[in-house]
Amino acid sequence: MELNAKIPEGPLADKWTNYKGHCRLVNPANKRNLEIIVIGTGLAGASASASLAQLGYQVKAFCFQDSPRRAHSIAAQGGINAAKNYQNDGDSTFRLFYDTMKSGDFRGREANTYRLAEVSGDIIDQCVALGVPFAREYGGLLANRSFGGVQVSRTFYAAGQTGQQLLLGAYSALERQVALGKVTMYSRHEMLDVVIIDGKARGIIARNLVTGKLERHFGHAVVLASGGYGNVFYLSTNAMGSNVTASWKAHKKGAYFANPCFTQIHPTCIPISGDHQSKLTLMSESLRNDGRIWVPKQKGDTRKANQIPEEERDYYLERRYPAFGNLVPRDVASRAAKERCDAGFGVGASRQAVYLDFASAIQRYGKAAAHKAQIHDADAETITRLGKQAITEKYGNLFEMYEKITAENPYEVPMRIYPASHYTMGGLWVDYELMTNVQGLYALGECNYSDHGANRLGASALMQGLADGYFVIPYTIGNYLAGEIRTKPIPTDHPAFDEAEKNVQERLDKLMGIRGKYSVDHFHKALGKIMWNKCGMSRNKQGLQEAIQEVRALREEFWKEVRIPGTQNELNPELEKAGRVADFLELGELLATDALQREESCGAHYREESVTEDGEAKRDDEHFCYVSAWERKEDNHFELHKEPLAFEVVHLTQRNYK
Amino acid sequence: MNLTLKVWRQKDNQDKGHFETYQVGDVLEDMSFLEMFDVLNEKLITEGKDPIAFDNDCREGICGMCSMYINGRPHGPLHGTTTCQLHMRHFHDGETITVEPWRAKPFPVIKDLVVDRGAFDRITEAGGYISVNTGNAVDANAIPIEKDTADLAFAAATCIGCGACVAACPNTSAMLFVSAKISQLAELPQGKPERRSRAINMIHQMDVEGFGSCSNIGECEQACPKEIQITHIARANSEYLKATFAGKDK
Ligand SMILES: Cc1cc2nc3c(=O)[nH]c(=O)nc-3n(C[C@H](O)[C@H](O)[C@H](O)COP(=O)(O)OP(=O)(O)OC[C@H]3O[C@@H](n4cnc5c(N)ncnc54)[C@H](O)[C@@H]3O)c2cc1C
Ligand code: FES
């Protein structure tokens, strides 16, 4: 199949305006008769459901948690980007676009990324109108902070709980539409298949997680907003339930999966403390604004952090990347931490950690605060106290969380951090309209591949989720549904629904019938180890080939030896997990296959065979300037399709943060 | 450390439920309370028994999904802490820990420690929003908001909707949850146009769902993992009174 990204004509800056001016519209009377299924109520799904319902469509929204407000988006901490240029520091739509392309190491699609930057300002307006309590300055206007990979302050935030506040805004808009009867909400439901009729997505099979019953739902279109697949690494910063299942089922029904190997490892997470560990906790990137990262200059130094004098500390990011210092992009910061730890300079009991130190920020803020309070002869104690106050204001909840988990006080001793799986740039292939290659099947938010190339900028996922949901899909879905106004709802006793439900049922029966020896977590942990060691921050040919074999073997063992207690017809968390891990076991192979195929380093994808002399990632534009879009064949075989990337505006350069 | 756990087991909504006692060994201080449950469940699965169902997702104290009633307190002994952020270093070797679901009529038990909190969504439906359609917004900085006001609204908005306040309240009132939203939106200029109908409708829905009324006992504030303050209840009450005198906004 030919991949057509459907990029509109015209200069980059005019494309979206042109598109909106020419796309087909659906009149209000017809909208009432059109039904849309939305899977997921995170930022992407909740904003899409609310906006589509407002337009008049009939929406059915699904999530597996007990309430739409609990989607994984709630956990985002640091902030959301927008090219408002409120700080007058040189920001613009173009600069946000360019920073995103560059951070993505030129493996994103220009037109999509430009549109994202273009609508970013509207998102902030919309959120404020919905009552999102962003941080403000004393003058009453919105505050900003900076994030990695850029040199302007364009990140809006609500202390360390930006995701929660944005999601509650979208959730409230969603609930308003539920009250108006325009959205029907299905919580504790898991989508387990897409139903395709005559080449078009026409519905889903979902499992009611409380009763275990399978349900059939029709829709004129199906929108997936089901989040990322970072949990393929088992340990990640994602919520426990985050999974690939919805995307994977769509993939198995023909939707291409793009750039699965582009997975982001976040540099600042609380390190692993033991085998019992079930997840890793992020310490927001915003901390790198004020925290300085260092390790001892001396190998294997076992002194406490506070006993290591200033001149014996290696602020390696500031040393290696003087222009960006601690604010280099995530992939660069993660690899640099791994490099130091692998070389024997790591700290903490496991030696797999580096310090993130706030001592100098406390002094800096303390002095500024003293100055502002007209205390001219402030003593050290006062300065420290005022400085700590300022830090609490900015990052209080993160410091608290760190202390709860580690029992160490980060106001007094530096945090220990290490990289962890965090976000996935890869996902379902979509065109400019966010439609997959399956007609009427859309993918929004983290579950699609579109705007971030090979590495996402901090604070841009929230932006993308809300851009897709509030401002893109309301237009683009109309362009498709305008052609569907004569399609009557298809009764769910159609053979395609029978067939899909039968397949889902058979898979559930098969899982329940295994009654093997090991728990689902046992397999998930084993998969995570393979993926992290051979397909994580650093990859090479041999390791990837081994990973593919090992994942296959593990998958086989899973289908023989997994033990799922209980029955199908009840709330059964183990069965839910088993279905998700079964899908991860298929995805894991594709991820490694994609990484093996891409014999270049770009962004977060680091192939040891493709590096510059000083160890930086080396792209190969001649051979790999494309999106890899994988089609699934029988028996977990995959065929590669390439969407060439053409750049009209940006010039491909080797990224340089020095 | 080694612990004895007394856990509430209930097959489904119809079942009467009972306590079951379990021994858990090799509990490490750095484990979270839920990780300790993971260890127990892993053991139960290996022994061919039914693991204990409990809600959780983010394990970062922000999604509001985890909900265990530990030793007679929602989310356990630590102030301002969700179950998932409670670590085993706060317990000691040999201790017996009792774990139950939220006990409140409007939160029926689904299984073991899992309850149905759909009532909170329905209360939000009744008015926990600002009626603004996508695309209707003015420039964000066109509405300056005093920092103090913004901070106050933010403090109210940190509610994670876990329901600990209800579980703690002898009257099973949901007033802390409801008031936090009323207060947040009444505080902000954007929320003012609908403040009266919001207060009346949300409180009405709270009654419909079967939550009790607030008699200012204050257990909710103590139990709230986000330390939402009871002053919001006073503010919501005053919103409500003003609204009932003046009638709903048109
Ligand atoms: C700890 C952490 C901090 C972060 N901080 C930031 C930040 O500061 N700034 C930033 O920009 N980004 C941040 N991110 C990234 C960002 O939060 C996510 O990329 C984004 O929220 C994803 O939103 P989403 O709407 O695409 O999906 P999600 O929020 O993951 O929502 C997925 C939804 O799909 C539903 N679902 C999934 N599968 C199924 C199924 N099979 N059936 C039914 N429903 C299903 C779920 O129930 C859920 O409602 C952070 C991520 C993490 C992990
Ligand atoms: S699991 Fe999310 S708050 Fe505890």
Side-chain angles (χ1 to χ4, degrees):
Chain A
M1 184 196 289
E2 193 54 30
L3 285 174
N4 180 1
K6 293 193 264 174
I7 296 171
E9 295 294 316
L12 188 59
D14 299 342
K15 285 186 194 297
W16 183 230
T17 310
N18 284 346
Y19 178 90
K20 287 191 292 182
H22 295 100
C23 64
R24 294 199 291 169
L25 301 175
V26 182
N27 90 24
N30 285 329
K31 283 199 188 101
R32 279 197 287 277
N33 300 322
L34 291 168
E35 297 174 47
I36 301 172
I37 287 174
V38 179
I39 306 300
T41 59
L43 288 182
S47 59
S49 299
S51 305
L52 294 171
Q54 283 161 22
L55 286 173
Y57 297 110
Q58 209 53 50
V59 176
K60 284 179 170 184
F62 293 78
C63 71
F64 63 75
Q65 292 91 344
D66 73 327
S67 161
R69 66 177 288 158
R70 308 210 199 277
H72 163 59
S73 293
I74 200 102
Q77 301 170 348
I80 175 167
N81 288 331
K84 281 286 199 186
N85 194 29
Y86 282 161
Q87 305 306 324
N88 195 31
D89 58 356
D91 202 6
S92 63
T93 298
F94 185 83
R95 198 176 288 276
L96 174 53
F97 154 74
Y98 186 80
D99 285 345
T100 310
M101 293 298 295
K102 178 181 171 197
S103 167
D105 221 353
F106 307 101
R107 290 293 175 263
R109 199 189 277 148
E110 271 188 340
N112 286 57
T113 306
Y114 193 89
R115 176 179 61 195
L116 175 64
E118 193 176 337
V119 303
S120 64
D122 297 343
I123 297 172
I124 303 302
D125 300 343
Q126 184 63 29
C127 291
V128 168
L130 284 167
V132 171
F134 282 120
R136 287 177 185 268
E137 305 289 358
Y138 281 97
L141 302 181
L142 293 166
N144 286 122
R145 58 186 172 204
S146 33
F147 253 58
V150 304
Q151 289 170 315
V152 294
S153 274
R154 62 160 75 98
T155 306
F156 295 79
Y157 62 99
Q161 314 180 352
T162 316
Q164 184 197 17
Q165 297 311 326
L166 295 176
L167 183 58
L168 291 182
Y171 160 78
S172 71
L174 170 73
E175 289 297 343
R176 175 173 157 240
Q177 296 304 317
V178 173
L180 293 170
K182 295 305 295 178
V183 175
T184 312
M185 187 63 228
Y186 296 85
S187 297
R188 291 201 199 269
H189 273 67
E190 183 163 31
M191 178 271 222
L192 291 178
D193 209 0
V194 195
V195 178
I196 294 179
I197 299 174
D198 298 331
K200 292 177 173 172
R202 291 300 192 196
I204 60 159
I205 305 295
R207 180 165 177 267
N208 177 325
L209 299 179
V210 176
T211 62
K213 279 218 170 61
L214 295 184
E215 299 174 1
R216 303 173 179 199
H217 295 275
F218 164 80
H220 287 88
V222 175
V223 176
L224 302 184
S226 50
Y229 53 87
N231 274 346
V232 68
F233 292 96
Y234 182 66
L235 286 181
S236 86
T237 61
N238 290 11
M240 301 300 288
S242 296
N243 68 88
V244 75
T245 290
S247 307
W248 198 251
K249 302 302 185 196
H251 177 52
K252 286 174 123 172
K253 281 286 171 82
Y256 291 0
F257 209 103
N259 291 341
C261 81
F262 291 167
T263 58
Q264 183 167 73
I265 310 292
H266 197 294
T268 53
C269 304
I270 302 179
I272 299 177
S273 72
D275 270 347
H276 59 269
Q277 194 103 19
S278 59
K279 76 156 284 165
L280 293 169
T281 303
L282 177 75
M283 286 288 107
S284 165
E285 175 156 302
S286 56
L287 294 172
R288 283 199 276 142
N289 263 306
D290 288 312
R292 296 177 71 199
I293 295 181
W294 63 276
V295 291
K297 279 188 180 160
Q298 193 187 317
K299 232 184 222 184
D301 194 333
T302 51
R303 285 176 293 175
K304 293 221 166 80
N306 292 345
Q307 291 163 355
I308 301 179
E310 195 57 31
E311 60 284 2
E312 291 179 41
R313 301 176 175 191
D314 177 14
Y315 295 91
Y316 58 87
L317 288 177
E318 297 169 25
R319 168 170 60 77
R320 281 178 70 178
Y321 308 100
F324 281 70
N326 292 296
L327 285 176
V328 291
R330 292 176 174 178
D331 55 330
V332 177
S334 291
R335 279 195 295 275
K338 179 174 166 18
E339 188 278 328
R340 283 293 79 189
C341 293
D342 289 352
F345 295 91
V347 301
S350 65
R351 304 271 130 199
Q352 289 290 305
V354 301
Y355 288 128
L356 178 62
D357 195 336
F358 294 88
S360 49
I362 289 174
Q363 293 307 311
R364 181 162 41 88
Y365 283 121
K367 279 180 200 148
H371 197 76
K372 196 161 164 243
Q374 311 270 349
I375 315 175
H376 295 303
D377 49 357
D379 55 14
E381 205 177 305
T382 311
I383 289 177
T384 306
R385 182 174 49 79
L386 291 172
K388 284 181 183 169
Q389 265 170 18
I391 292 283
T392 306
E393 177 109 337
K394 287 190 139 167
Y395 313 111
N397 69 319
L398 299 173
F399 274 53
E400 226 176 80
M401 188 149 66
Y402 183 86
E403 187 166 0
K404 273 185 187 148
I405 294 173
T406 63
E408 285 173 4
N409 176 356
Y411 291 98
E412 304 296 338
V413 295
M415 288 183 178
R416 284 173 298 110
I417 50 151
Y418 198 69
S421 158
H422 177 62
Y423 179 87
T424 52
M425 281 73 67
L428 292 175
W429 183 89
V430 288
D431 61 22
Y432 188 74
E433 300 186 297
L434 305 183
M435 199 196 281
T436 66
N437 57 307
V438 175
Q439 290 286 299
L441 180 65
Y442 293 81
L444 274 53
E446 191 174 340
C447 79
N448 74 17
Y449 152 81
S450 69
D451 301 353
H452 308 294
N455 176 56
R456 172 174 70 77
L457 272 182
S460 282
L462 302 182
M463 170 173 74
Q464 185 221 332
L466 291 178
D468 290 359
Y470 281 136
F471 296 111
V472 179
I473 193 75
Y475 290 93
T476 60
I477 208 167
N479 198 37
Y480 171 73
L481 289 175
E484 295 291 331
I485 53 176
R486 285 184 194 80
T487 309
K488 295 269 171 295
I490 300 173
T492 53
D493 57 4
H494 185 284
F497 277 96
D498 289 343
E499 171 78 16
E501 185 180 319
K502 189 170 135 263
N503 290 340
V504 171
Q505 188 58 58
E506 278 174 9
R507 191 172 164 97
L508 289 169
D509 291 343
K510 200 169 158 199
L511 281 170
M512 292 304 302
I514 302 171
R515 302 276 165 202
K517 283 204 287 290
Y518 302 111
S519 70
V520 178
D521 280 355
H522 165 88
F523 289 99
H524 198 176
K525 282 182 186 173
L527 175 66
K529 281 222 171 79
I530 302 173
M531 300 310 292
W532 181 251
N533 291 335
K534 300 195 164 158
C535 213
M537 260 186 286
S538 176
R539 303 158 172 179
N540 62 51
K541 185 172 176 188
Q542 191 195 339
L544 290 167
Q545 284 169 336
E546 286 166 10
I548 292 171
Q549 295 307 327
E550 288 168 25
V551 172
R552 278 186 194 152
L554 186 67
R555 191 167 64 228
E556 224 169 272
E557 200 198 335
F558 172 90
W559 283 101
K560 284 196 200 117
E561 290 295 353
V562 73
R563 171 182 292 185
I564 304 161
T567 68
Q568 281 185 51
N569 309 316
E570 61 178 333
L571 180 77
N572 189 342
E574 287 296 312
L575 177 58
E576 294 164 28
K577 277 198 277 183
R580 294 170 194 160
V581 171
D583 292 334
F584 278 135
L585 282 163
E586 294 180 10
L587 166 77
E589 181 178 341
L590 178 62
L591 205 163
T593 306
D594 186 43
L596 182 63
Q597 164 269 146
R598 192 170 280 278
E599 293 172 336
E600 65 163 348
S601 294
C602 60
H605 171 62
Y606 186 79
R607 281 290 298 263
E608 289 160 19
E609 298 90 339
S610 181
V611 293
T612 62
E613 269 171 17
D614 47 0
E616 303 293 338
K618 195 165 110 205
R619 263 195 349 259
D620 177 354
D621 292 327
E622 195 187 328
H623 300 102
F624 295 98
C625 200
Y626 58 78
V627 176
S628 34
W630 296 89
E631 179 184 358
R632 191 172 189 279
K633 303 283 190 188
E634 284 300 293
D635 292 336
N636 221 39
H637 282 96
F638 306 96
E639 184 180 324
L640 177 63
H641 302 267
K642 297 176 183 175
E643 180 203 336
L645 287 168
F647 298 95
E648 288 171 35
V649 174
V650 300
H651 298 291
L652 302 196
T653 52
Q654 204 68 26
R655 286 191 310 169
N656 182 2
Y657 294 96
K658 304 201 166 186
Chain B
M1 57 180 127
N2 297 306
L3 299 169
T4 305
L5 287 186
K6 278 177 63 187
V7 184
W8 185 258
R9 302 300 311 255
Q10 183 173 338
K11 214 177 141 11
D12 54 32
N13 189 238
Q14 304 305 314
D15 184 23
K16 266 178 58 198
H18 64 282
F19 278 106
E20 242 179 88
T21 306
Y22 304 97
Q23 305 299 327
V24 210
D26 292 334
V27 176
L28 305 176
E29 292 203 324
D30 281 342
M31 282 181 184
S32 71
F33 202 80
L34 297 185
E35 284 169 347
M36 185 268 290
F37 259 74
D38 291 344
V39 172
L40 171 59
N41 272 346
E42 180 81 26
K43 190 173 129 198
L44 293 176
I45 294 169
T46 327
E47 290 168 358
K49 297 187 183 139
D50 210 14
I52 302 156
F54 61 91
D55 265 333
N56 74 106
D57 200 25
C58 74
R59 296 203 176 186
E60 287 193 7
I62 195 76
C63 74
M65 193 124 175
C66 61
S67 46
M68 292 187 187
Y69 196 78
I70 303 164
N71 285 344
R73 299 193 56 166
H75 294 304
L78 219 62
H79 192 69
T81 307
T82 55
T83 305
C84 61
Q85 290 290 286
L86 175 64
H87 284 71
M88 296 316 293
R89 62 181 79 93
H90 303 290
F91 297 87
H92 55 80
D93 189 35
E95 195 169 339
T96 300
I97 307 174
T98 309
V99 187
E100 300 165 76
W102 283 178
R103 305 256 189 215
K105 257 235 183 81
F107 291 160
V109 172
I110 295 175
K111 185 178 180 181
D112 298 339
L113 305 173
V114 176
V115 300
D116 179 354
R117 286 168 287 194
F120 274 11
D121 289 331
R122 293 187 292 274
I123 292 175
T124 306
E125 266 164 52
Y129 47 75
I130 293 171
S131 299
V132 51
N133 281 356
T134 307
N136 276 351
V138 296
D139 184 84
N141 263 352
I143 327 170
I145 300 174
E146 248 180 272
K147 188 170 184 316
D148 293 345
T149 310
D151 287 350
L152 223 131
F154 175 75
T158 57
C159 167
I160 57 174
C162 64
C165 47
V166 175
C169 177
N171 307 336
T172 58
S173 171
M175 204 48 192
L176 193 62
F177 167 78
V178 175
S179 69
K181 194 43 79 183
I182 292 178
S183 177
Q184 177 205 340
L185 297 182
E187 207 52 60
L188 295 169
Q190 308 91 299
K192 293 213 193 300
E194 294 167 286
R195 64 196 290 184
R196 290 191 221 146
S197 54
R198 179 178 307 118
I200 291 181
N201 293 341
M202 288 184 80
I203 290 177
H204 172 70
Q205 188 63 32
M206 179 179 95
D207 294 340
V208 171
E209 297 289 345
F211 292 100
S213 44
C214 169
S215 53
N216 285 314
I217 302 172
E219 290 288 341
C220 53
E221 186 183 67
Q222 287 306 310
C224 176
K226 294 293 138 180
E227 302 176 358
I228 306 264
Q229 289 177 357
I230 199 167
T231 45
H232 293 299
I233 297 187
R235 202 168 291 126
N237 279 334
S238 109
E239 284 291 317
Y240 183 78
L241 278 178
K242 275 189 246 163
T244 35
F245 279 126
K248 289 190 194 182
D249 11 57
K250 294 285 153 10

